[in-house]
Amino acid sequence: MSDTTLKATAAASGASATDRFRTDKATATAQAVADTERVNTLATELISAVHDVIRQNRVTYEEYNALKAWLISVGEDGEWPLFLDVWIEHVVEEVAGADRKGSKGTIEGPYYVPGAPGLPSVSTLPMREDEAGTPLLFQGQVTGVTGEPLSGALLEMWQADDDGLYAQFAPGIPEWNLRGAVTADDEGRFAVLTIQPAPYQIPTDGSCGALIAAAGWHPWRPAHLHLKVSAPGHETLTAQLYFRGGEHVEDDVASAVKPELVIDPRPVGDGGRQVTYDFVLDPAS
Ligand code: MBD
Ligand code: FE
């Protein structure tokens, strides 16, 4: 295990994820809370669902206070983005993507950062001189639902390194390492050289880790590439791609794997791997 792995604490990555959320998303929530009737419905049903669990399981005061302590510590650790994206977001995405005609998407997770370095259609993601991991050539085409190429589509990519760590959320990694915004060519084609990421382990030293340990669960997500694919006049697709046969593809702690998102890169001569994956974007609604 490298030095950076040892220093990637829950509190540090949680604080970064919380700051990130506040900057990018928390300002856009005013509209969601403006409809009193809607908030009444959602809050009433959510609270009522908790009441049902308490009655059905005859929850004790000891358990109630353990819950209270745990909820307080999730906030202190900055792990609300992690908790929500791991255990809740996949159902929000399921509802949001139900009518999609084009490519399947999945959850965004807590580690997207807008504004990654712009790259041409054929490029290499920013990486260290000695970046560890199996080289991966990821190529494909972006089209609309009737097959028309989407000239100049934007492919934002972010991923963990060979230690399962994300730049800007673990210390000691260059700011934009393994993060880039690739502009596809006139036919919507792209070819990006990167490395195959390692599986991601939820920090074990924070509140989410404590829940996992107390419940006897495991903390792993399968190795994955994150993507946002966008083009003018089209719905932005947020997706992740997983690797066939990889660890935890069948039991992702974040429940975000779909069969359409599992790729199987083929070995190429130099010890690397290569895969073609095309994206189909829905028209903007
Ligand atoms: C991740 O890397 C991730 O993608 C999600 C969804 C949750 C935690 C860590
Ligand atoms: Fe991730």
Side-chain angles (χ1 to χ4, degrees):
M1 198 176 278
S2 75
D3 208 37
T4 51
T5 311
L6 297 173
K7 286 182 287 181
T9 63
S13 66
S16 304
T18 298
D19 288 347
R20 192 73 260 156
F21 175 78
R22 286 197 174 117
T23 304
D24 298 342
K25 306 249 164 58
T27 50
T29 56
Q31 211 192 325
V33 298
D35 183 342
T36 304
E37 201 39 55
R38 177 76 172 166
V39 175
N40 177 27
T41 299
L42 298 183
T44 301
E45 289 193 24
L46 179 64
I47 291 166
S48 169
V50 175
H51 297 163
D52 288 346
V53 173
I54 294 167
R55 287 197 188 94
Q56 277 163 21
N57 295 279
R58 303 184 61 81
V59 168
T60 66
Y61 259 101
E62 286 73 19
E63 289 166 335
Y64 173 66
N65 284 323
L67 172 66
K68 209 187 255 189
W70 182 80
L71 290 169
I72 291 167
S73 72
V74 176
E76 287 170 348
D77 293 345
E79 283 199 333
W80 279 119
L82 182 65
F83 173 82
L84 289 163
D85 295 351
V86 167
W87 285 290
I88 307 296
E89 188 187 355
H90 68 98
V91 185
V92 181
E93 193 282 329
E94 174 189 313
V95 171
D99 297 329
R100 195 185 287 285
K101 306 265 184 304
S103 299
K104 291 275 187 244
T106 190
I107 64 176
E108 176 176 320
Y111 301 144
Y112 169 66
V113 184
L119 301 168
S121 63
V122 176
S123 52
T124 300
L125 283 193
M127 64 176 77
R128 290 159 286 194
E129 198 107 333
D130 56 349
E131 192 70 45
T134 303
L136 174 69
L137 181 63
F138 175 65
Q139 59 188 7
Q141 185 181 27
V142 185
T143 68
V145 290
T146 54
E148 73 282 15
L150 297 181
S151 168
L154 188 69
L155 198 84
E156 293 176 272
M157 295 181 64
W158 70 103
Q159 62 173 91
D161 66 11
D162 193 52
D163 286 325
L165 300 174
Y166 285 87
Q168 302 188 38
F169 297 90
I173 303 174
E175 188 176 19
W176 295 105
N177 207 243
L178 301 174
R179 295 175 177 274
V182 176
T183 299
D185 72 10
D186 290 348
E187 294 184 319
R189 295 186 194 278
F190 60 87
V192 184
L193 182 63
T194 182
I195 57 111
Q196 204 168 301
Y200 174 86
Q201 182 181 27
I202 291 190
T204 50
D205 64 325
S207 307
C208 291
L211 170 62
I212 287 167
W217 302 338
H218 79 256
W220 291 98
R221 296 214 63 219
H224 55 280
L225 301 171
H226 286 275
L227 294 133
K228 274 186 189 287
V229 186
S230 56
H234 291 79
E235 294 281 341
T236 296
L237 176 72
T238 300
Q240 299 181 25
L241 296 174
Y242 309 94
F243 298 86
R244 175 148 298 142
E247 286 175 65
H248 300 295
V249 169
E250 307 295 332
D251 64 346
D252 178 11
V253 64
S255 310
V257 178
K258 301 178 186 182
E260 298 86 348
L261 300 173
V262 180
I263 58 175
D264 191 9
R266 62 186 163 83
V268 287
D270 58 357
R273 300 176 77 190
Q274 179 177 322
V275 68
T276 300
Y277 192 89
D278 299 328
F279 295 97
V280 179
L281 300 189
D282 281 57
S285 50

